[in-house]
Amino acid sequence: MAIPRILVVGSINQDIIFYGPQGDAMSVNGCLVFDSFDEFQGGKGANQAIAAAKLGAYSSLVGAVGDDPAGKGMIKTLADEGVETTFVSAIKGVKTGLSAIFNMRKGGYVGTNVLGANSLISTAMVENALAAEKFDMVLMQLEMPLETVYGTYSAARKHSIPVVLDAGPAKHIPLERLEGIFMISPNEAEAYALTGIDVADESGVRKAAEYLYEHTSCTYAVMKLGPRGAYLFDGQDGEMFPAVDKPCVDTTGAGDTFTTAMMIKLCEGGSISEAIQYGNAAAALCISKKGGLVSIPSRKEADDLYDQITKEAEL
Ligand code: RIB
């Protein structure tokens, strides 16, 4: 089987993640109060590029960091994890992106992002990467300029490469310029931001998926619904794929892991159902540890859990 070749276009961040049983309890002076924080490397693009490499793909990242210690550290980690970094630019005079992630008392999280160098990711950088090498799929997110999102899609289309939009962070964007995209995959908040439809129950999930399909003519809309699992809509039928039950420590990076694992399974010839189950297994492993990038499972870990749930489903 040929090794999948994935081009990821997206953000590189330093992550500060806040934890604690008090969650978002307000102190008297109006501050959010947490018990502890940890610092990690992250960013949706970096997480996805590393997930692709760890899960067995050839993975190249188009991204940007500042000329600061965080940026240098990030390029080293990407390379150490097997990601091709030729198209990661270190840009003078700007800072590497920053994300503060607050784990809330009631579950879920709130994120605050400073784009920094991510705001300088350009379509020209993507065109250079696509001209230099062949790829099976392109994966992008919304943590970079919107024109680069659309430019990435147009450039990949010129090379007839299917594109997946992992639609985070939550943002309302015009979808028409993504007409014909292979897959669009939002989580609950992102689905609401894109469609204005509440996805709290299954009828809302279906309506939001139909909205995405109608506005993009995508091949697949795949909704990431946290503990409920993932919902697939292919323009005709909808199907819910329950999440794999694992204790949740930190959901950071779970969506990145899910989407990337799903793409790899598809590139390897798996069906869309197999790909979503594989994504669910990989994401379940990611949430069982603190941090995003550091919690991405190895190929063996993801395969073992996938094999286990597949066998259990057959019994
Ligand atoms: O998807 C998780 C990522 O989103 C974090 O690593 C953080 O950097 C934000 O970009």
Side-chain angles (χ1 to χ4, degrees):
M1 180 170 32
I3 291 176
R5 298 180 64 84
I6 309 281
L7 180 67
V8 180
V9 181
S11 58
I12 298 171
N13 290 334
Q14 310 179 66
D15 289 352
I16 306 178
I17 306 185
F18 295 80
Y19 303 98
Q22 293 191 71
D24 53 331
M26 284 278 181
S27 74
V28 279
N29 61 1
C31 285
L32 297 178
V33 178
F34 293 85
D35 289 337
S36 64
F37 71 91
D38 277 324
E39 294 171 86
F40 299 97
Q41 294 174 311
K44 294 179 190 303
N47 294 345
Q48 291 172 12
I50 286 177
K54 288 187 82 169
L55 294 170
Y58 169 78
S59 168
S60 181
L61 175 62
V62 173
V65 293
D67 61 342
D68 50 15
K72 286 193 182 77
M74 218 38 245
I75 290 177
K76 179 172 181 335
T77 298
L78 287 160
D80 289 349
E81 294 287 358
V83 175
E84 176 55 60
T85 60
T86 303
F87 300 101
V88 177
S89 305
I91 299 174
K92 279 202 186 316
V94 291
K95 286 200 185 299
T96 298
L98 177 74
S99 180
I101 297 165
F102 306 98
N103 283 296
M104 306 306 259
R105 211 172 6 153
K106 292 178 187 155
Y109 67 91
V110 173
T112 305
N113 286 354
V114 180
L115 280 181
N118 297 311
S119 68
L120 299 171
I121 304 171
S122 68
T123 302
M125 293 175 179
V126 181
E127 284 167 344
N128 286 342
L130 290 171
E133 292 185 71
K134 288 200 183 317
F135 293 97
D136 298 316
M137 281 199 193
V138 170
L139 172 57
M140 62 181 182
Q141 328 79 34
L142 299 175
E143 219 166 47
M144 60 182 173
L146 193 50
E147 273 313 307
T148 308
V149 172
Y150 295 134
T152 297
Y153 180 53
S154 303
R157 269 200 120 176
K158 282 185 199 137
H159 291 263
S160 305
I161 303 173
V163 176
V164 174
L165 173 64
D166 183 292
K171 220 178 241 188
H172 182 72
I173 61 161
L175 293 169
E176 287 65 30
R177 287 173 71 185
L178 299 174
E179 172 75 24
I181 193 167
F182 176 65
M183 182 187 290
I184 180 158
S185 183
N187 68 17
E188 291 148 304
E190 293 153 9
Y192 181 72
L194 286 172
T195 67
I197 298 167
D198 185 348
V199 298
D201 59 31
E202 199 164 332
S203 107
V205 172
R206 167 82 184 209
K207 281 189 196 130
E210 282 174 354
Y211 179 104
L212 294 174
Y213 179 80
E214 280 157 18
H215 284 75
T216 61
S217 306
C218 55
T219 306
Y220 298 118
V222 177
M223 325 281 282
K224 296 181 281 253
L225 303 170
R228 288 185 286 165
Y231 182 85
L232 165 70
F233 184 68
D234 64 4
Q236 288 197 314
D237 298 317
E239 186 176 354
M240 186 72 90
F241 294 79
V244 178
D245 194 18
K246 282 265 176 201
C248 179
V249 175
D250 182 350
T251 61
T252 310
D256 301 326
T257 303
F258 171 91
T259 309
T260 312
M262 177 174 55
M263 284 173 69
I264 287 171
K265 198 60 153 185
L266 281 175
C267 287
E268 290 177 349
S271 68
I272 185 68
S273 304
E274 289 166 338
I276 291 176
Q277 294 287 35
Y278 192 61
N280 275 341
L285 291 164
C286 182
I287 65 169
S288 62
K289 294 182 197 158
K290 277 187 174 180
L293 193 154
V294 290
S295 310
I296 296 165
S298 67
R299 176 74 194 219
K300 182 174 180 333
E301 290 169 321
D303 283 358
D304 287 351
L305 183 56
Y306 174 73
D307 290 345
Q308 184 195 320
I309 59 168
T310 309
K311 279 192 193 114
E312 282 167 8
E314 283 165 4
L315 292 177

